[in-house]
Every structure is written in C-alpha cells, then in structure tokens.
Amino acid sequence: MTTNNGTGGVLWAGRWGFVLAATGSAVGLGNIWKFPYMTGEYGGGAFVLVYLLCIAAIGVPLMMAEIAFGRRGRGSPVEAVKRVVAESGGGSAWSILGWMSMICGFMILSFYVVVAGWSLSYLWKAVSGGLNADSVEGMAAIFEDNNASPLNLGFWSTLVTLVTMLIVGKGVQEGIERSVRWMMPGMVVMLAILIGFGIFSGGFGQAVDFLFAFEFGQLSSEGLLAAMGHAFFTLSLAAGAIMAYGAYLPAGKSIARTTFTVAICDTLIALMAGLAIFPIIFANGMDPAGGPGLIFMSLPLAFAQMPMGTLLEIVFFVMLTMAALTSAISMIEATIAWLVESHGITRNRAAWSTGIVLWLVSTLAMLSFNLGADWTLGGRTFFDWLDYLTSRFLMPLGGLGLALLAGFALKDRLLRDELGLSWGGHALWLFMIRYVCPLAIVVIFIDALGIMTLEMATQWPWGLAALTLFVVIGEWLSPRLRRQPAH
Ligand code: PHE
C-alpha cells in the first residue's frame, strides 16, 4: 500500500468518475476538429486504417501502462514515474519521462485553447446570427475575419483559459468530476442528434466510402507518422493526462476494462464525427482537404441550409466547446498536481499561477493567426510548431520511453500487481508493450525519416526477421536491465 500518498488521498468519488473523466479527456477537439481535417488531408481510408491499427496496437497497451503508473505512483506524472522506478530499483534517468509528459500536456493546451476559443466564438456567432453567409467563400471570410483581430480571438481563448483554470482549481472531485458528470452525457446526446441529421443530408454514402475505402498507396510516410501521432493525441497519451487521472483511481478497479471503454468511446466518436461532417462536405461539393478551418467553414454553411439549422448549429458548438473543456482540464492536471505536491501550495493558487503562464504562451499561439502570421520557422507558425512537435515527436517518443520502461526496465511484478490481468492477458499485454509498441513506433519513425521505406518493413520476411531479432534482444536484455543494484 502507498503511505506516501502524493495525491493527499484524493480519489474519484463516483463509480464512473475515472471513466467519465478519462473519456472526457480523450474525446475532444482531436475527434471532432482534427480527425476530419487530417483524414481529408491525408487521403481518407488509408489514414483511418493506420490510425485504427495504432489505437489498438499502441494506444490500448500504453494507456493501460499509464493508468497503472499513475495508480502505483499515486502522484503527479513526474512523481509517479519517479516512485514506480524507485520501487523497482531502477535508474533515475527514467524520470525524464514524467517531465516530458507534463510539459507536453502544457504545450498542447497552449494551442488547444485557441481552437476551443474558435468554438466558443462560433457558438456566440450562432446565437447572435453572425454565421449567415450563403457560400463557402462567405464562410471562409467569416473565419478569417474572426481570426484577424487579436483582441477578438484573444478574448475567446482567454475565456477558455479562465474556465479551464476555474474548474481545475476547484479540485478533482468538486471541479473535474462534477463537470464531466453532466458534460459527457450531454455531449453524447447532442452528437446523436447531429448524426441523425447527417444521415439524411445526402452525402452519407460518399462519406462512408471516403472514410473506409482504403488504398494503401495513397498514404505517404508523412501521413503514416501523422496517423500515429494522432492516435496518441486522441487517446491523450504520453501527455500526463491519463497518468495524472490514474493517480486518483481507487484500488481494485479494472484498468483493462476502463481502458477498453475509453478507447472504444473515443474511436466511435471520432468515426461518428467523420460520418456527421463528411456527408455535409460532399453534399456541398467542398474540398475535404480544407485544413484546420474545415469544420468552421463547412458545417455552418450546411447548417444554414437545414431546417432548424440555427438550433442544430448551437447544439454543435455547445457540444464542441464541452468536448474541448473536458480535454483541456486533463491536459493541465499534471502541472497542477505537480505544483501542489512539490511546492505545497493550494490547488487554487497552482491553477491561477499556471493559468498566467499558459495565457502568455497561448497568446503567442493565438497571434499566429493575425499579427504573428509571418513569424514562421520552416514554414510553420508558432501554433503549428506546438501542434507538430507534440503530436509527431513528444508523444510518440514519450510513448516509446514509457513502453520500454514498462516492458523492460521495471520488475514485472509491479505492473502485474497493478494491472491484475489473467495469466494470458498479462502475457499478451507484455508482448504488446515490449515488442509491438516500440517496434511500431520505431518503424514509423524510420519510415518518416526516409531511412527505410515502409514497403520494406511490410514485406513479411523482413518484418518477421525484425520482430524476431527484437524479441531475442529484448528477452536477453530485460533481466539484465532489471537486475537490482547491489545493496
Ligand atoms: N485527446 C484530446 C482530444 O482528442 C486531446 C488531448 C491530448 C487531451 C493530450 C489530453 C492530453 O482532443
């Protein structure tokens, strides 16, 4: 049992507390804003297939590991990783993984509040009748106009930052758990209404074809890395969120079961969002590769042409804003928990001081759409860099590190206790976390760096040889890595 409880004994109060909070974290702008436009950009079905494979092969085992780390370490990700490694007698260098996760969550939130701000400002426009253009060009002009003024855009992202900090500052049960308890069911109902309308909009068949007809040749190495990065992003992995929430999970709850629930809900909602959005895009002859503005330009146009359109539009942006908020709070929980535990300050104070730093960084990200549009490096704005660095590098590399730590460096007994799986279940999880996760991440990276092409790796003799080699080396290395230092 953990006596040195870094969370001060705080646990989720309700039976559904963790599942709702973790699903709230996973389901967010990633599902509704990012997934459709990335699928559009990277050509549809092939991207979706790789994304789904990554969720199953990398995401699920890794999420289980993260929750186990959190619960075993009972502290912020920084502290949890440190404690679990210490308990296993491992080297302190692994604690970098906790830091990386926490920083990654903060970086994501810095651009996330800008997109959530778009959503909030569109909600306001919907209510006040400001989304009244009747052409794609007209909607694009509204989107650009909304971005053009730093004061306007800054107002909305600041509002999102404030609300996020207000919820998080109130505490795990009173703030986070209480807000997800009504926001999550609300979101599901609203999404169901929207999909109902999507089915009747005329472009449904084409949307299904686009999402599920996969041609492997369409997917570039870049798209492959993007699909893997997105799998991490959408499951909130290696960004401190899931581990921080895992620290409040009562002993005895099944980690595997909750992970499956979260992963299935997240995947279904992304696919549902795709099925709700692409019919509209095809029915109106729009370009699916419309970029980050896709849902903000296409959907309002479609809503404008529907009966009860304004009402549906309001429902949509309320839902999107709630989805964004339940994710935003999870991204910053790691930082808050770390400040409370390492500096002994109250949650409220931790939230407000974090909020100020966040506000500064997110303001820079917000300026990427107006004053700072030209402040680019390698063709990317500050906003783009935050997104690119976190999704393509920090999360997959952090995930690789966590998989290696969980699979090889820790004493097997530790996570075996925590996960509490059957013998076969544990063997399968261990195989995934030791070999499949790292190998998949490494292969996709190597492919993206252009050293080797994926075709080589998918030619099965090569793939099999690589896996065998990896397993042999891993099995040889793991007992040696895990050997206790002499006392
Ligand atoms: N999973 C969230 C989404 O899909 C984003 C997120 C990333 C949340 C990392 C927490 C941590 O929108």
Side-chain angles (χ1 to χ4, degrees), residues 24-31 105 108 112 230 232-237 239-242 266 323-324 327-328 330-331 395:
S25 169
V27 176
L29 295 169
N31 304 59
I108 296 175
Y112 207 80
H230 188 62
F232 275 91
F233 186 88
T234 194
L235 289 180
S236 310
L237 294 175
I242 295 296
D266 185 71
S327 298
S330 74
M331 286 172 212
M395 285 194 273

XYZ file of all heavy atoms in Angstrom, residues 24-31 105 108 112 230 232-237 239-242 266 323-324 327-328 330-331 395, ligand 1:
216
model
N -13.677 11.904 -21.162
C -13.748 13.343 -21.423
C -12.425 13.879 -21.913
O -12.366 14.739 -22.789
N -11.352 13.341 -21.357
C -10.029 13.757 -21.797
C -9.778 13.312 -23.238
O -9.320 14.068 -24.088
C -8.966 13.147 -20.879
O -7.690 13.331 -21.429
N -10.107 12.063 -23.499
C -9.807 11.506 -24.825
C -10.674 12.151 -25.912
O -10.193 12.516 -26.976
C -10.021 9.997 -24.796
N -11.963 12.281 -25.619
C -12.861 12.836 -26.629
C -12.771 14.354 -26.587
O -13.085 14.970 -25.583
C -14.314 12.410 -26.354
C -15.253 13.065 -27.343
C -14.426 10.906 -26.416
N -12.313 14.925 -27.674
C -12.174 16.376 -27.662
C -12.057 16.923 -29.061
O -12.560 16.336 -30.030
N -11.374 18.034 -29.172
C -11.180 18.652 -30.486
C -10.467 17.687 -31.419
O -10.620 17.752 -32.629
C -10.364 19.926 -30.329
C -11.054 21.031 -29.528
C -10.079 22.146 -29.196
C -12.232 21.579 -30.318
N -9.672 16.799 -30.837
C -8.964 15.798 -31.640
C -9.946 14.979 -32.459
O -9.706 14.686 -33.635
N -11.060 14.606 -31.865
C -12.029 13.774 -32.571
C -12.830 14.567 -33.582
O -13.112 14.095 -34.675
C -13.031 13.168 -31.575
C -12.345 12.393 -30.483
O -11.525 12.934 -29.747
N -12.639 11.129 -30.386
N 1.750 18.051 -22.140
C 0.364 18.446 -21.867
C 0.207 19.952 -21.873
O -0.735 20.500 -22.444
N 0.420 21.286 -25.451
C -0.805 21.040 -26.226
C -1.882 22.044 -25.828
O -2.524 22.653 -26.670
C -1.320 19.599 -26.016
C -0.304 18.591 -26.545
C -2.652 19.387 -26.716
C -0.663 17.159 -26.265
N -4.395 24.429 -27.887
C -5.752 23.886 -27.805
C -6.760 24.961 -27.412
O -7.875 24.991 -27.917
C -5.730 22.785 -26.752
C -6.746 21.681 -26.899
C -6.546 20.641 -27.802
C -7.888 21.636 -26.105
C -7.453 19.602 -27.902
C -8.792 20.601 -26.196
C -8.569 19.582 -27.098
O -9.475 18.548 -27.192
N -1.617 11.100 -34.343
C -2.996 11.402 -33.997
C -3.591 10.364 -33.049
O -4.414 10.689 -32.200
C -3.868 11.564 -35.236
C -5.233 12.051 -34.870
N -5.429 13.266 -34.254
C -6.449 11.458 -34.926
C -6.709 13.409 -33.980
N -7.349 12.324 -34.373
N -2.009 8.924 -30.682
C -1.561 9.371 -29.359
C -2.392 10.544 -28.879
O -2.847 10.595 -27.746
C -0.090 9.806 -29.410
C 0.875 8.676 -29.237
C 1.353 7.972 -30.328
C 1.305 8.312 -27.975
C 2.242 6.926 -30.170
C 2.194 7.264 -27.799
C 2.664 6.569 -28.903
N -2.551 11.504 -29.777
C -3.253 12.724 -29.413
C -4.681 12.420 -28.973
O -5.142 12.876 -27.935
C -3.261 13.677 -30.616
C -3.843 15.031 -30.317
C -3.036 16.049 -29.833
C -5.180 15.306 -30.533
C -3.560 17.308 -29.554
C -5.713 16.555 -30.261
C -4.900 17.552 -29.773
N -5.356 11.622 -29.758
C -6.774 11.418 -29.489
C -6.999 10.598 -28.222
O -8.021 10.744 -27.552
C -7.488 10.788 -30.703
O -8.885 10.906 -30.504
C -7.134 9.335 -30.894
N -6.037 9.741 -27.866
C -6.194 8.991 -26.616
C -5.540 9.711 -25.438
O -5.436 9.171 -24.344
C -5.632 7.581 -26.760
C -6.421 6.615 -27.639
C -5.743 5.253 -27.686
C -7.850 6.440 -27.134
N -5.053 10.909 -25.668
C -4.418 11.720 -24.605
C -3.190 11.027 -24.018
O -2.924 11.143 -22.825
C -5.385 11.997 -23.447
O -6.605 12.484 -23.904
N -2.452 10.296 -24.850
C -1.344 9.506 -24.307
C -0.044 10.287 -24.221
O 0.188 11.212 -24.998
C -1.131 8.260 -25.174
C -2.302 7.282 -25.105
C -2.079 6.131 -26.067
C -2.498 6.777 -23.687
N 0.974 12.480 -22.445
C 0.852 13.921 -22.236
C 0.453 14.207 -20.796
O -0.078 15.263 -20.476
C -0.181 14.508 -23.198
N 0.674 13.239 -19.925
C 0.433 13.464 -18.496
C -1.010 13.291 -18.064
O -1.283 13.032 -16.899
N -1.944 13.428 -19.001
C -3.351 13.480 -18.617
C -3.843 12.165 -18.000
O -4.390 12.144 -16.890
C -4.192 13.840 -19.833
N -3.640 11.088 -18.734
C -4.187 9.805 -18.281
C -3.466 9.330 -17.019
O -4.069 8.793 -16.091
C -4.077 8.764 -19.422
C -4.972 9.183 -20.597
C -4.429 7.378 -18.936
C -6.451 9.219 -20.292
N -13.822 6.698 -27.605
C -13.072 7.704 -28.346
C -13.104 7.413 -29.843
O -13.349 8.296 -30.656
C -11.624 7.725 -27.839
C -10.831 8.831 -28.484
O -11.091 10.003 -28.160
O -9.971 8.540 -29.337
N -16.667 19.364 -25.268
C -15.655 18.338 -25.553
C -14.260 18.923 -25.341
O -13.370 18.274 -24.782
C -15.800 17.839 -26.986
N -14.076 20.154 -25.768
C -12.770 20.804 -25.625
C -12.436 21.026 -24.147
O -11.308 20.780 -23.714
C -12.762 22.130 -26.379
N -11.330 18.008 -22.182
C -9.954 17.618 -22.525
C -8.960 18.609 -21.943
O -7.912 18.225 -21.427
C -9.761 17.570 -24.043
O -10.599 16.614 -24.615
N -9.304 19.889 -22.043
C -8.381 20.923 -21.564
C -8.035 20.719 -20.090
O -6.869 20.802 -19.694
C -8.989 22.305 -21.791
N -7.879 18.074 -18.463
C -6.991 16.927 -18.233
C -5.549 17.242 -18.613
O -4.615 16.663 -18.076
C -7.478 15.716 -19.023
O -7.202 15.871 -20.394
N -5.370 18.147 -19.567
C -4.001 18.458 -20.012
C -3.211 19.196 -18.957
O -2.003 19.162 -18.943
C -4.046 19.368 -21.237
C -4.465 18.660 -22.467
S -4.703 19.885 -23.729
C -6.010 19.099 -24.617
N 4.895 13.085 -28.117
C 4.018 11.990 -27.689
C 4.535 10.624 -28.135
O 4.678 9.723 -27.305
C 2.583 12.240 -28.132
C 1.921 13.310 -27.274
S 0.151 13.389 -27.454
C 0.062 14.484 -28.816
N -7.474 13.677 -26.561
C -7.776 15.056 -26.690
C -8.548 15.272 -27.977
O -8.718 14.376 -28.747
C -6.553 15.907 -26.666
C -5.609 15.653 -25.548
C -4.280 15.434 -25.804
C -6.045 15.658 -24.220
C -3.383 15.201 -24.790
C -5.154 15.444 -23.178
C -3.827 15.216 -23.469
O -8.985 16.356 -28.241
